[in-house]
Amino acid sequence: MAAPSLLNWRRVSSFTGPVPRARHGHRAVAIRELMIIFGGGNEGIADELHVYNTVTNQWFLPAVRGDIPPGCAAHGFVCDGTRILVFGGMVEYGRYSNELYELQASRWLWKKVKPHPPSSGLPPCPRLGHSFSLYGNKCYLFGGLANESEDSNNNVPRYLNDFYELELQHGSGVVGWSIPVTKGIVPSPRESHTAVIYCKRDSGSPKMYIFGGMCGARLDDLWQLDLETMSWSKPETKGTVPLPRSLHTASVIGNKMYIFGGWVPHKGENIETSPHDCEWRCTSSFSYLNLDTAEWTTLVSDSQEDKKNSRPRPRAGHCAVAIGTRLYFWSGRDGYKKALNSQVCCKDLWYLDTEKPPAPSQVQLIKATTNSFHVKWDEVPTVEGYLLQLNTDLPYQAASSDSSASPNMQGVRMDPHRQGSNSIIPNSISDIVNSVKSEHTAMKGTSVKNKPDLKASNDSNASLHSSLSANASNHNSCVVDMLRKNEDPHTSANIGVLSSCLDLRTVIPETSVSSTVSSAQTMVTQQTIKTESSSTNGAVVKDETSLTAFSTKAEVDETCALPATKISRVEAHAATMPFSKETPSNPVAMVKAGERQWCDVGIFKNNTALVSQFYLLPKGKQSISKIGNADAPDYSLLKKQDLVPGTGYRFRVAAINGCGIGPFSKISEFKTCIPGFPGAPSAVRISKNVEGIHLSWEPPTSPSGNILEYSAYLAIRTAQIQDNPSQLVFMRIYCGLKTSCIVTAGQLANAHIDYTSRPAIVFRISAKNEKGYGPATQVRWLQECHCW
């Protein structure tokens, strides 16, 4: 974690949509990138459900329906997958609730639920300021404040320390309340405390931690409940314990419980001698407890003043949500005006990155030309940008566009036993090709920036994208992915190579429809819908639909073989498929092996980049990238170098957030194309007929001459695939001039069902001109049932 002085708070600005009015006593949870807020009060109790999309920087009001609960404040609010549970809270002054509501966020549908009462004892009484925590299929309710008076106008407070367990049904509904028998001393009665549940990774039982709260005076005690033994204890902690407080927030990220804000005593007051009479104030102090070592660390103390408005001002009754390793804070009250008998509420939204981002996935190829790459990598949640770097064995000098710079690859063959290479496997039926399957997520954005731009975005790289087949009614939808195959003896090295050139120009507009769905009209699904694809070089496209599920989808990807003497494997999942000897996974080793330094391609806002140039390092410099608390590099002062045809380049990428640059990804290697080969077939369609299926496609948009023939291949079952499912074996099922073919039921009976993502039958189609075969289009035909 960064030192206190290095905390890099960000205030969110320029958001869109209906911003909720400032409030306190509200609650928030996260569903993926969405922050969902309910309740709270300020000049009346709020009853709307507000959603903030942290990716698109957009607020929206979903159209909820069903048993909509009344507005409430200081209630319990937990999230289980895509359902949210609300329990209790204040519904009007002096009147509290003990009702339970469930929201199915996949449909924005509210439902009032009635749990069975405990087998012995009464169900929870109406209350506010309680804690309500989820672990597994159970919610744990502790404490709160009840009103002893039957007259809501005559409030007689009673602090609670009762403890209940609520068992949930899977997906929807609840079973009922129970009162667990606990051991040890029970925490004293309190309200407006916090409770979190944490379980050590790979060991230990889950434990609930209760901190602070109010019982006439603010508290600073820490309690632990072992949820397996139901034993209460008070852990001995190290470090400086935060001041006594209530109405603060507690959030767990990793093994740390972050405590922010709340009501604390005024400086210099002796709260031990007169706890009920002292004055209280809001705080912006920020600490965390390491839940493994029980050590407190102060990040922002109560004595630190903020004259530059560089962090949230003091507040209490706010909400905090953890999304990835980022903490979001919204609203809350920052004071109490006795003369006006009113609260002063904050209207601001802040976030803080608690640690550097993890390494992204390897860089993956979408498209290559003779002098450029279109690359992408998996998105890393809650980052502000990505630093992309490359190096090459070529001398760093002005690039030549002369195609003679490309090596002459005639007569070159691949060694079938060499690690990292694909090979031709002879087969009496037809040509069979080995390849490696990999998968990754697709670009969600359309803009790529070569200049640093780390501001919060509200552009087209929204999280609400859906990739549909052109014929959405066809449940046998397909997805496209390219590779290169050449059957001529002198170009056999071009089959299934992984460092490849691609042409995706025809795929996205013709085989899929990307639609941005209005946030206010979307629904959160219980599982993320993805479009996936594969290729022999990791050049794949996958789109992720975060809100709306569809029954059909298209999957797109393409690769193109390189006539090259040195071919390296690029894997999207290095854990299962190791790198070839030509592609070390250690960046230091790569630099030593090639005696080349890493050069910046640039800083990109989205997870995709069009690479045609890179920046040259100044003499004697090891790196030009300085991100985080220092300024981003000024690329305008640096010289650029163009990419060269037929040349291998190594890539790596790192994510950037408020804590700086995270670790780099594993290394990928791609080669620019050699001119003259045809592009990939496009607009692939699959439909069922009486004989089996009808497979059709459109000619390449860039044939580079006359198309002589097409070949179509089917991935088939073999013992080799059973031993290594990531190694697909293809059999040619068609060769001819027509742009369609029939795949018979007999052929489909031998098809391999690929389970690397959703079950699918895999086809490949490629075109041949006078120079040879170009990139192939790979189609993953999704299977609902395997009846072939």
Side-chain angles (χ1 to χ4, degrees):
M1 180 70 196
S5 60
L6 298 180
L7 288 178
N8 204 343
W9 293 92
R10 299 275 205 273
R11 181 170 180 171
V12 180
S13 58
S14 68
F15 34 67
T16 61
V19 180
R21 73 178 190 267
R23 65 192 65 191
H24 62 94
H26 53 289
R27 299 290 186 260
V29 294
I31 299 181
R32 293 191 291 275
E33 73 273 19
L34 303 180
M35 180 171 72
I36 300 174
I37 294 170
F38 181 69
N42 182 25
E43 300 178 357
I45 295 178
D47 59 0
E48 313 98 353
L49 188 78
H50 291 267
V51 181
Y52 173 69
N53 188 312
T54 60
V55 174
T56 63
N57 203 19
Q58 179 185 25
W59 287 98
F60 66 93
L61 277 164
V64 296
R65 55 198 176 91
D67 305 323
I68 300 174
C72 57
H75 47 288
F77 200 55
V78 298
C79 180
D80 174 32
T82 58
R83 71 168 161 176
I84 295 171
L85 294 169
V86 180
F87 174 75
M90 181 172 70
V91 292
E92 61 183 48
Y93 178 78
R95 189 165 72 87
Y96 309 151
S97 167
N98 63 347
E99 293 179 338
L100 182 67
Y101 289 85
E102 175 187 272
L103 172 69
Q104 287 290 344
S106 58
R107 294 171 287 165
W108 300 124
L109 178 65
W110 282 106
K111 180 183 177 183
K112 186 175 182 179
V113 291
K114 296 182 179 179
H116 294 297
S119 56
S120 60
L122 297 173
C125 66
R127 66 189 67 202
L128 61 72
H130 47 283
S131 60
F132 196 52
S133 310
L134 174 77
Y135 188 82
N137 69 330
K138 293 179 180 177
C139 289
Y140 298 93
L141 169 68
F142 177 79
L145 181 70
N147 184 3
E148 290 283 78
S149 172
E150 294 183 1
D151 181 5
S152 60
N153 294 318
N154 181 25
N155 196 6
V156 179
R158 177 168 65 95
Y159 293 97
L160 305 170
N161 67 342
D162 49 358
F163 179 60
Y164 286 86
E165 185 179 87
L166 176 66
E167 184 178 353
L168 310 181
Q169 292 178 347
H170 179 71
S172 178
V174 297
V175 177
W177 295 105
S178 61
I179 305 175
V181 177
T182 61
K183 306 169 189 174
I185 299 174
V186 177
S188 60
R190 66 193 64 205
E191 57 101 1
S192 297
H193 55 284
T194 55
V196 302
I197 298 177
Y198 170 73
C199 186
K200 282 187 180 179
R201 187 175 295 176
D202 302 326
S203 64
S205 58
K207 295 178 176 61
M208 182 169 74
Y209 294 88
I210 289 175
F211 177 72
M214 171 71 172
C215 184
R218 269 75 182 179
L219 305 169
D220 64 354
D221 50 349
L222 177 72
W223 293 84
Q224 173 185 288
L225 175 66
D226 188 310
L227 294 180
E228 284 190 359
T229 63
M230 285 295 167
S231 299
W232 287 103
S233 61
K234 287 190 73 173
E236 292 187 9
T237 61
K238 297 170 281 187
T240 303
V241 178
L243 287 176
R245 67 191 61 213
S246 62
L247 293 171
H248 54 287
T249 53
S251 309
V252 174
I253 296 178
N255 64 346
K256 298 178 179 67
M257 177 178 73
Y258 291 91
I259 302 292
F260 176 75
W263 285 105
V264 297
H266 265 296
K267 302 172 187 174
E269 300 214 8
N270 189 341
I271 62 172
E272 294 182 359
T273 57
S274 57
H276 294 273
D277 299 326
C278 66
E279 292 292 324
W280 302 89
R281 63 181 175 86
C282 289
T283 182
S284 60
S285 60
F286 188 43
S287 303
Y288 72 78
L289 176 69
N290 185 313
L291 296 172
D292 291 337
T293 63
E295 181 173 5
W296 286 103
T297 298
T298 301
L299 299 173
V300 177
S301 70
D302 287 275
S303 61
Q304 284 180 269
E305 293 187 9
D306 179 29
K307 297 180 180 178
K308 298 181 179 179
N309 295 320
S310 59
R311 66 172 186 265
R313 68 183 190 263
R315 67 193 63 210
H318 53 284
C319 68
V321 163
I323 297 180
T325 58
R326 178 175 287 179
L327 268 175
Y328 283 85
F329 303 93
W330 182 71
S331 201
R333 60 187 182 185
D334 71 350
Y336 184 75
K337 295 183 179 178
K338 288 185 177 179
L340 300 177
N341 194 31
S342 63
Q343 307 295 335
V344 180
C345 287
C346 311
K347 298 178 181 179
D348 47 357
L349 173 64
W350 293 78
Y351 68 82
L352 175 72
D353 290 309
T354 60
E355 58 189 59
K356 290 183 179 180
S361 65
Q362 287 175 265
V363 177
Q364 298 150 7
L365 192 59
I366 298 172
K367 170 185 174 181
T369 67
T370 55
N371 56 7
S372 71
F373 295 110
H374 193 178
V375 297
K376 72 157 307 284
W377 48 91
D378 287 356
E379 280 190 335
V380 178
T382 62
V383 298
E384 298 175 5
Y386 302 91
L387 170 64
L388 181 65
Q389 293 185 332
L390 65 72
N391 73 25
T392 180
D393 292 335
L394 282 182
Y396 289 156
Q397 59 187 10
S400 168
S401 60
D402 186 354
S403 61
S404 64
S406 306
N408 182 357
M409 295 312 301
Q410 289 192 356
V412 174
R413 286 184 176 271
M414 295 173 62
D415 178 0
H417 302 292
R418 173 175 155 195
Q419 182 185 13
S421 66
N422 288 317
S423 59
I424 301 175
I425 302 175
N427 184 277
S428 58
I429 305 174
S430 182
D431 297 331
I432 299 179
V433 183
N434 267 335
S435 69
V436 176
K437 176 154 179 52
S438 58
E439 62 183 51
H440 63 283
T441 55
M443 328 171 258
K444 293 186 183 175
T446 57
S447 61
V448 177
K449 299 187 179 180
N450 286 322
K451 294 183 179 180
D453 183 0
L454 304 183
K455 294 180 181 178
S457 70
N458 185 31
D459 53 19
S460 60
N461 71 323
S463 66
L464 313 176
H465 276 260
S466 308
S467 184
L468 305 174
S469 75
N471 181 4
S473 64
N474 181 4
H475 287 254
N476 303 313
S477 58
C478 59
V479 174
V480 186
D481 152 338
M482 319 287 170
L483 87 67
R484 165 161 193 159
K485 176 158 191 333
N486 197 314
E487 297 171 342
D488 295 341
H490 66 279
T491 55
S492 59
N494 294 333
I495 298 182
V497 291
L498 297 175
S499 298
S500 57
C501 59
L502 288 77
D503 183 3
L504 198 59
R505 288 169 295 178
T506 58
V507 175
I508 293 178
E510 298 189 57
T511 63
S512 65
V513 177
S514 181
S515 58
T516 302
V517 183
S518 169
S519 302
Q521 298 173 344
T522 53
M523 300 177 289
V524 181
T525 59
Q526 294 197 16
Q527 60 181 5
T528 299
I529 303 299
K530 299 178 180 179
T531 59
E532 304 152 339
S533 58
S534 66
S535 79
T536 56
N537 73 336
V540 290
V541 175
K542 180 176 70 173
D543 195 4
E544 182 166 326
T545 305
S546 62
L547 291 182
T548 306
F550 297 95
S551 61
T552 64
K553 67 181 183 179
E555 308 184 4
V556 182
D557 172 13
E558 70 178 287
T559 74
C560 157
L562 290 177
T565 55
K566 178 179 178 181
I567 297 175
S568 302
R569 170 160 304 180
V570 180
E571 295 293 340
H573 301 293
T576 56
M577 302 301 293
F579 275 80
S580 71
K581 296 176 182 177
E582 291 78 24
T583 312
S585 59
N586 186 327
V588 177
M590 173 65 79
V591 173
K592 288 180 179 177
E595 295 301 325
R596 294 294 170 194
Q597 295 171 315
W598 288 98
C599 295
D600 286 11
V601 175
I603 297 172
F604 296 86
K605 191 174 184 178
N606 303 316
N607 63 324
T608 178
L610 183 61
V611 183
S612 60
Q613 297 175 317
F614 58 93
Y615 295 94
L616 296 176
L617 286 167
K619 262 193 172 179
K621 297 288 185 182
Q622 292 295 321
S623 173
I624 58 176
S625 305
K626 293 182 179 178
I627 313 296
N629 299 296
D631 292 332
D634 187 353
Y635 290 120
S636 65
L637 302 177
L638 300 173
K639 292 183 179 180
K640 296 188 228 178
Q641 179 159 319
D642 295 330
L643 302 189
V644 179
T647 303
Y649 293 89
R650 305 176 189 96
F651 287 88
R652 67 180 187 179
V653 66
I656 305 166
N657 67 10
C659 292
I661 303 178
F664 279 95
S665 66
K666 293 181 179 179
I667 294 165
S668 301
E669 185 173 353
F670 312 114
K671 283 194 176 183
T672 46
C673 292
I674 298 174
F677 292 95
S682 63
V684 179
R685 301 285 185 270
I686 298 178
S687 59
K688 287 185 178 180
N689 63 18
V690 292
E691 299 176 68
I693 64 168
H694 182 257
L695 186 63
S696 64
W697 56 90
E698 295 294 331
T701 56
S702 53
S704 299
N706 295 322
I707 298 299
L708 303 180
E709 66 183 26
Y710 297 94
S711 285
Y713 295 84
L714 169 68
I716 59 170
R717 290 195 304 269
T718 67
Q720 181 179 354
I721 292 184
Q722 291 175 357
D723 295 337
N724 188 357
S726 64
Q727 292 282 350
L728 298 182
V729 176
F730 285 84
M731 177 180 70
R732 186 160 67 174
I733 53 175
Y734 171 77
C735 182
L737 269 173
K738 288 184 178 181
T739 56
S740 66
C741 68
I742 297 296
V743 186
T744 66
Q747 290 171 321
L748 290 170
N750 294 318
H752 166 67
I753 304 297
D754 176 39
Y755 288 96
T756 52
S757 53
R758 291 182 64 186
I761 293 174
V762 183
F763 299 95
R764 286 179 177 171
I765 308 159
S766 59
K768 180 181 178 182
N769 65 7
E770 293 86 348
K771 196 160 186 177
Y773 272 92
T777 301
Q778 175 166 299
V779 179
R780 298 189 74 252
W781 181 32
L782 301 180
Q783 301 295 296
E784 297 298 329
C785 61
H786 312 131
C787 50
W788 300 106

